[in-house]
Amino acid sequence: MSVKNTKTGLEKLRHLQPQERLKAVADRSQISAEQSRALAGNSALPLTIADGMIENVIGRFELPLGVATNFVINGRDYLIPMAVEEPSVVAAASFMAKLVKENGGFSCSSTEPVMRGQIQLLNVENLMAAKASLIAAKDEIVALANTHDQALLELGGGCRDIEVHTFEETAVGPMLVLHLLVDVRDAMGANTVNSKAELVAPLAESITGGQARLRILSNLADKRLVKASVKLHTDSLLTDKYDGKRVAQSIVEACAFAEVDPYRAATHNKGIMNGIDPVVLVTGNDWRAVEAGAHAWAARFGRYTSLTRWRIEADGRLHGSIELPMAIGLIGGATRTHPAAQAALAVLKVETANELGEVIAAVGLAQNMAALRALATEGIQRGHMALHARNIAIAAGAEAEQVAIVAAKLVEEGDISVDAARRLLSDN
């Protein structure tokens, strides 16, 4: 069931109070009262559950939870919960999504959810012969791997294939690495892949004559990719000061910088992850795994580069695209144990892990477009600092209704600093 933002007035969400925003989102998403309370954060994570999730628990750490609007992805409307502390992220994603919506929305796709399990083999006398032996025993290896996790098999997943990689020279001598390629369906997959690798390791030892060391999932999920793309008429990029064609060309030029220079690419990709991480986090997924996979993918050709591409097409439209690994799930881990994560998924209304990955990729692309558009026009600081003014007001000691008043005056004066905020507070 899709979520029709256009019928809710959610484009005016920022003008409401937090409780009113929550009600608007809950009404449109048709989530339960319990899920609504979980999103509000009022004891969303009981200490008893937190104590069971990690070790040495002493409390809980909260982040602001916002909702990005205007997203149309593969013809469906989405409300997208985002947990993030940085100002401008939710607003930027929502505004860019609005521009994209006027141009038909995001187009997304994904590959099968295949993860890799690695078995490191040392002290192998003949790497090539051992490699050939493992390949010849593929059916036996796959069959053994699939004796673990029958539920996954019943869902249509399981170990599909193997790969064998050789490293003739390493710091510890020649190394053979067996990869199990496992379709994990709607799970992130770490637990089942690790278990399969440990199960297969003794067989790999007997086949190769080597000794198994590490048996572990790889977070470079290069067979589990998501793609998102947009096409915009340059008129959509028109501002009060800049022609749309100029803005589009500047976005392309900014992206070209990130494509060739790793120093720029690191910041460019960090901006993309500004959009991706909050969605991964709020759905209870492993944002460190997604970060690791994204940055490894950005360096897959031997040089760190941009995760996105922006070009002007022959018809004059601006085309943007992103492709990256996306190891996320809808089952297992914090996704199942954290009430707010379950509520966030209820708002998203995604049906598969692949669909969630596509949504996340679209948010990353929107965030990238927002950053490049700002850099190409007024600079990154003006809009960011205007939204940061509330944080500055709070840091200066503003409380309750004072926050909005002081923040507005800071923006009006163009001096968004703690000293200026303290002066405004003292004047009142």
Side-chain angles (χ1 to χ4, degrees):
M1 180 178 178
S2 63
V3 179
K4 296 296 183 182
N5 297 350
T6 53
K7 296 181 180 180
T8 67
L10 291 179
E11 66 276 5
K12 303 296 185 182
L13 208 59
R14 65 190 180 93
H15 298 298
L16 304 178
Q17 293 300 309
Q19 296 86 350
E20 296 172 322
R21 294 184 194 124
L22 177 61
K23 185 178 186 306
V25 170
D27 288 348
R28 173 41 55 189
S29 303
Q30 298 180 326
I31 59 176
S32 68
E34 183 180 358
Q35 289 169 329
S36 181
R37 286 192 295 272
L39 288 177
N42 300 325
S43 301
L45 180 63
L47 195 60
T48 53
I49 294 179
D51 192 39
M53 293 174 68
I54 65 167
E55 305 74 36
N56 299 339
V57 167
I58 61 171
R60 292 143 296 185
F61 181 83
E62 295 182 335
L63 286 173
L65 197 164
V67 175
T69 59
N70 302 316
F71 275 85
V72 175
I73 301 168
N74 292 339
R76 290 187 58 187
D77 293 292
Y78 291 85
L79 295 177
I80 303 181
M82 302 176 73
V84 62
E85 87 295 344
E86 183 170 336
S88 80
V89 169
V90 177
S94 298
F95 182 64
M96 289 302 106
K98 183 178 181 181
L99 298 186
V100 173
K101 182 177 183 177
E102 295 167 355
N103 285 268
F106 295 87
S107 297
C108 298
S109 63
S110 53
T111 61
E112 292 298 305
V114 174
M115 300 293 290
R116 294 176 182 269
Q118 295 184 292
I119 302 171
Q120 176 196 31
L121 295 158
L122 300 179
N123 301 320
V124 177
E125 290 188 4
N126 187 320
L127 290 182
M128 298 312 296
K131 177 178 180 178
S133 296
L134 286 172
I135 292 173
K138 182 186 81 169
D139 291 345
E140 182 183 3
I141 293 169
V142 169
L144 177 59
N146 282 331
T147 61
H148 173 268
D149 201 346
Q150 291 297 308
L152 181 61
L153 279 177
E154 293 170 4
L155 291 169
C159 186
R160 293 279 178 259
D161 203 349
I162 66 169
E163 290 180 358
V164 185
H165 298 259
T166 59
F167 301 91
E168 295 185 359
E169 296 182 6
T170 79
V172 293
M175 188 183 300
L176 192 67
V177 183
L178 171 64
H179 285 197
L180 304 179
L181 305 182
V182 183
D183 184 334
V184 297
R185 297 287 85 194
D186 285 325
M188 184 273 184
N191 289 332
T192 191
V193 170
N194 290 341
S195 295
K196 289 179 184 296
E198 291 179 356
L199 178 64
V200 168
L203 175 59
E205 287 182 323
S206 67
I207 292 172
T208 63
Q211 295 176 322
R213 294 291 190 261
L214 270 63
R215 296 147 291 171
I216 185 70
L217 163 132
S218 169
N219 286 126
L220 177 49
D222 60 350
K223 289 188 173 294
R224 191 177 189 177
L225 301 175
V226 291
K227 299 179 181 179
S229 65
V230 296
K231 290 184 179 180
L232 297 97
H233 294 284
T234 55
D235 289 348
S236 301
L237 300 168
L238 179 69
T239 72
D240 292 339
K241 295 182 178 180
Y242 298 93
D243 175 79
K245 291 183 179 179
R246 153 77 189 281
V247 174
Q249 182 59 34
S250 296
I251 288 174
V252 172
E253 292 166 354
C255 186
F257 185 8
E259 290 173 30
V260 299
D261 180 14
Y263 293 97
R264 172 60 200 146
T267 310
H268 179 97
N269 290 342
K270 186 270 181 185
I272 292 169
M273 304 313 290
N274 275 351
I276 288 175
D277 286 347
V279 189
V280 177
L281 179 61
V282 81
T283 56
N285 277 286
D286 187 345
W287 59 268
R288 286 89 50 199
V290 172
E291 281 270 356
H295 295 301
W297 182 253
R300 68 192 182 279
F301 298 124
R303 178 178 53 82
Y304 189 81
T305 188
S306 168
L307 287 167
T308 58
R309 293 290 182 271
W310 292 92
R311 298 289 186 269
I312 304 295
E313 295 201 325
D315 63 3
R317 289 188 295 175
L318 176 67
H319 176 253
S321 63
I322 186 171
E323 178 184 60
L324 75 163
M326 191 57 63
I328 43 86
L330 297 181
I331 59 177
T335 301
R336 279 300 187 200
T337 57
H338 200 304
Q342 283 291 290
L345 289 170
V347 171
L348 276 162
K349 297 190 183 301
V350 291
E351 297 180 0
T352 65
N354 275 18
E355 183 185 359
L356 176 58
E358 291 170 7
V359 168
I360 292 169
V363 179
L365 186 58
Q367 202 69 41
N368 182 234
M369 183 168 71
L372 296 185
R373 179 179 178 273
L375 286 166
T377 55
E378 62 190 16
I380 201 71
Q381 282 299 85
R382 181 180 175 185
H384 178 76
M385 289 305 292
L387 290 168
H388 191 49
R390 294 175 64 90
N391 280 345
I392 296 295
I394 293 170
E399 297 178 355
E401 67 276 1
Q402 290 179 319
V403 174
I405 296 170
V406 172
K409 289 183 178 179
L410 289 173
V411 173
E412 182 182 347
E413 293 181 1
D415 182 4
I416 303 174
S417 66
V418 173
D419 286 343
R422 285 173 177 162
R423 172 178 52 77
L424 289 170
L425 284 168
S426 65
D427 290 346
N428 293 303

